[in-house]
Amino acid sequence: MNSKYIAGISLIIMAAGFLITLALPDYTWILILQGGFEAGLVGGFADWFAVTALFRHPMGIPIPHTSLLLKNKDRIVQSLVSALETELLNKESIEKKLRGWNLVERATSMATKAIQKKKVRAQLIDSVITFVEKLPLEKLSPMIQSGLASYVRKAELHEAVDKLATYLIKQGYDEKALDYVLQQVETWAGRLETKRMLGRLANEKMGEVKLGGLMGFAFQAFAGFMDEDKLGILLQNMIASSIRDLKEEDNEYRALIIREIRVQLFQLTSNEEKMERVKAWLLEHIEQERFEDMIKERMEDIRAMALKALVRERDNGGRLVLKGYRVLVNQVRANPEWIHELENKVSQAIVNVVENNHYRIGQLVKENVDQMDDEALVEMLEGKIGKDLQWIRVNGALCGFVIGLALSVLKMLL
């Protein structure tokens, strides 16, 4: 039952009891009850007046010092806002509370429990798939193109190329590049059509040679002995032999070629004019419309590969996701200082957000209260705190009744 009705019933009982005892004979026990009901009625009515005076004028009469909440609404709201800003939402209390919560550890524990469920992993992968599918590549492509052009335009290209050249040499990419070229040349030289082409070219050039005397006679004798097929085989074997020699790490000619590659690389980086030409060439090609289309095509290819891999991972139950998460968690747990640092950063970020915006909470409270009319505000307050206040009336009536009984007995005894 509503506490307000209980309080009203208690007051009605006291009033009815008092009226009934007035009509009864003046027996001792009736007089005692009459005193109890009289005191209970006075106590209940006094407490009704006190509780009602908090919210409105009792019986609609503007008695001084009544309807206290409405009269002091601005001061109450300001006190509430001040308490929010200075007591409840101050930096020290929030920071202390956050540190006690261990947000990072709790979040990690919750994530670990969730990621162990196959259904959760599948939902996570589905979310990533949806995100990748909806990526607006047509908008990202011009942004990437513009970013690349801006970077090239501002970049000190010779420094970047110098660092790149140094890195490539340290990693041995100059030797790998030479080996790749040698391998391609060897493959090309070993083809049948290459042999024919080399034999034909050699034969044509030998026919153009004009030598006299004994040397001319010897050369003509050699040329008459060799045909295109023999010349092709000879040149093929010479090229293959030379390439095999150049592949040997201790070959002096290989060392000379690699040294020349390195020299040319660093000469290129120190040549400002060439670097400017390279930069202009890069900008010219980057800013072309077809370059944007190329970026979009490559991104579409990457998206297709990513979606294919994600679907395969989802069908496999997200095993790689679970494995990767475990590796990450183990790595973090092996470095507790990371957790401590992350905890501090998270706490500090939350504290800064609250500290910079706690006044907005106060403003929101004040605006919402100001938008409410007096009747609505009173109804809201009565609904929140009035229930407990109504029991004051019940207690007042009961206490008054008991005290009235005691006083009536005391009066008769004296």
Side-chain angles (χ1 to χ4, degrees):
M1 185 182 293
N2 194 311
S3 59
K4 186 175 182 180
Y5 294 134
I6 295 175
I9 290 171
S10 67
L11 188 59
I12 292 172
I13 290 173
M14 296 301 159
F18 178 69
L19 292 175
I20 291 171
T21 55
L22 287 178
L24 295 176
D26 293 338
Y27 296 123
T28 301
W29 63 272
I30 292 177
L31 292 175
I32 293 174
L33 285 175
Q34 187 182 86
F37 284 122
E38 181 181 6
L41 179 62
V42 172
F45 186 80
D47 287 337
W48 167 83
F49 185 92
V51 171
T52 304
L54 289 173
F55 302 102
R56 58 177 63 84
H57 297 300
M59 296 179 292
I61 303 173
I63 301 172
H65 304 293
T66 59
S67 188
L68 298 177
L69 292 177
L70 292 179
K71 287 182 178 179
N72 296 277
K73 181 174 71 172
D74 292 339
R75 188 168 60 183
I76 293 172
V77 172
Q78 191 59 43
S79 298
L80 179 60
V81 171
S82 178
L84 282 172
E85 294 179 350
T86 59
E87 300 296 332
L88 302 178
L89 297 179
N90 66 76
K91 181 177 180 180
E92 291 75 16
S93 63
I94 295 174
E95 191 170 2
K96 183 178 179 181
K97 182 65 69 175
L98 288 175
R99 292 187 185 282
W101 284 351
N102 297 323
L103 294 176
V104 175
E105 291 186 8
R106 289 191 179 189
T108 303
S109 178
M110 292 173 61
T112 301
K113 291 180 181 179
I115 205 70
Q116 290 175 346
K117 299 177 181 179
K118 185 177 180 180
K119 182 180 179 181
V120 173
R121 296 197 298 271
Q123 290 175 344
L124 178 63
I125 295 173
D126 282 334
S127 299
V128 176
I129 289 174
T130 302
F131 173 77
V132 174
E133 287 176 340
K134 293 184 177 180
L135 277 175
L137 300 185
E138 64 281 355
K139 294 181 180 179
L140 291 175
S141 300
M143 293 172 60
I144 294 174
Q145 182 186 28
S146 176
L148 284 173
S150 177
Y151 174 79
V152 172
R153 195 175 290 110
K154 295 178 181 178
E156 294 292 338
L157 204 57
H158 66 279
E159 294 182 4
V161 174
D162 184 76
K163 291 180 180 179
L164 177 62
T166 303
Y167 173 79
L168 293 176
I169 291 172
K170 285 184 178 180
Q171 298 298 321
Y173 284 107
D174 51 347
E175 296 187 36
K176 292 177 182 178
L178 176 60
D179 289 336
Y180 176 79
V181 172
L182 292 174
Q183 183 61 43
Q184 295 302 312
V185 173
E186 186 177 26
T187 302
W188 170 80
R191 295 172 182 169
L192 179 61
E193 57 270 21
T194 304
K195 182 192 73 170
R196 292 172 180 171
M197 182 189 70
L198 291 173
R200 186 170 58 254
L201 288 174
N203 192 46
E204 291 176 359
K205 295 303 177 183
M206 287 177 66
E208 297 175 1
V209 175
K210 304 296 182 183
L211 292 174
L214 185 59
M215 184 177 292
F217 175 77
F219 182 80
Q220 290 298 325
F222 174 77
F225 176 75
M226 302 296 291
D227 57 13
E228 290 186 3
D229 188 60
K230 292 179 180 179
L231 287 171
I233 293 174
L234 178 64
L235 292 173
Q236 265 189 329
N237 291 334
M238 291 174 61
I239 293 173
S241 177
S242 299
I243 290 174
R244 284 194 297 271
D245 291 341
L246 290 173
K247 284 183 176 181
E248 296 294 332
E249 293 186 2
D250 57 349
N251 185 274
E252 60 176 324
Y253 296 109
R254 175 186 176 88
L256 288 173
I257 294 173
I258 291 174
R259 185 159 53 248
E260 185 62 23
I261 291 173
R262 294 175 178 177
V263 169
Q264 292 300 322
L265 273 175
F266 285 109
Q267 283 183 350
L268 177 64
T269 60
S270 60
N271 192 318
E272 293 288 344
E273 183 180 352
K274 287 184 178 179
M275 287 293 99
E276 288 300 322
R277 288 205 299 267
V278 170
K279 180 185 287 190
W281 180 85
L282 285 173
L283 284 173
E284 180 183 353
H285 284 74
I286 289 175
E287 292 175 344
Q288 289 179 357
E289 185 175 348
R290 63 181 182 181
F291 187 79
E292 179 185 337
D293 296 335
M294 185 190 71
I295 293 175
K296 186 178 178 182
E297 289 174 3
R298 296 291 78 75
M299 292 179 68
E300 289 287 1
D301 294 339
I302 294 172
R303 172 154 65 182
M305 290 188 295
L307 289 173
K308 186 177 179 180
L310 287 168
V311 171
R312 184 168 59 250
E313 176 63 13
R314 182 190 59 191
D315 296 340
N316 289 335
R319 296 176 183 175
L320 290 178
V321 174
L322 181 59
K323 183 178 180 181
Y325 178 79
R326 286 174 176 171
V327 171
L328 177 62
V329 170
N330 291 335
Q331 187 67 25
V332 171
R333 288 176 178 173
N335 297 274
E337 65 276 5
W338 291 1
I339 299 178
H340 181 69
E341 184 179 356
L342 183 58
E343 190 79 50
N344 288 337
K345 289 182 178 179
V346 171
S347 300
Q348 190 61 45
I350 296 175
V351 168
N352 290 337
V353 170
V354 175
E355 189 178 22
N356 294 333
N357 296 276
H358 70 280
Y359 72 93
R360 300 181 189 275
I361 300 175
Q363 284 183 339
L364 181 62
V365 171
K366 189 174 186 308
E367 289 173 2
N368 288 334
V369 173
D370 290 341
Q371 289 174 0
M372 299 175 67
D373 56 31
D374 292 347
E375 184 177 353
L377 179 60
V378 168
E379 288 182 1
M380 183 194 73
L381 292 174
E382 281 188 318
K384 299 299 180 183
I385 62 175
K387 294 180 180 179
D388 293 327
L389 293 177
Q390 296 301 328
W391 285 103
I392 295 177
R393 296 171 54 189
V394 177
N395 292 334
L398 293 175
C399 290
F401 179 74
V402 173
I403 293 172
L405 291 176
L407 291 176
S408 296
V409 171
L410 182 62
K411 180 180 178 181
M412 289 183 179
L413 291 176
L414 295 177

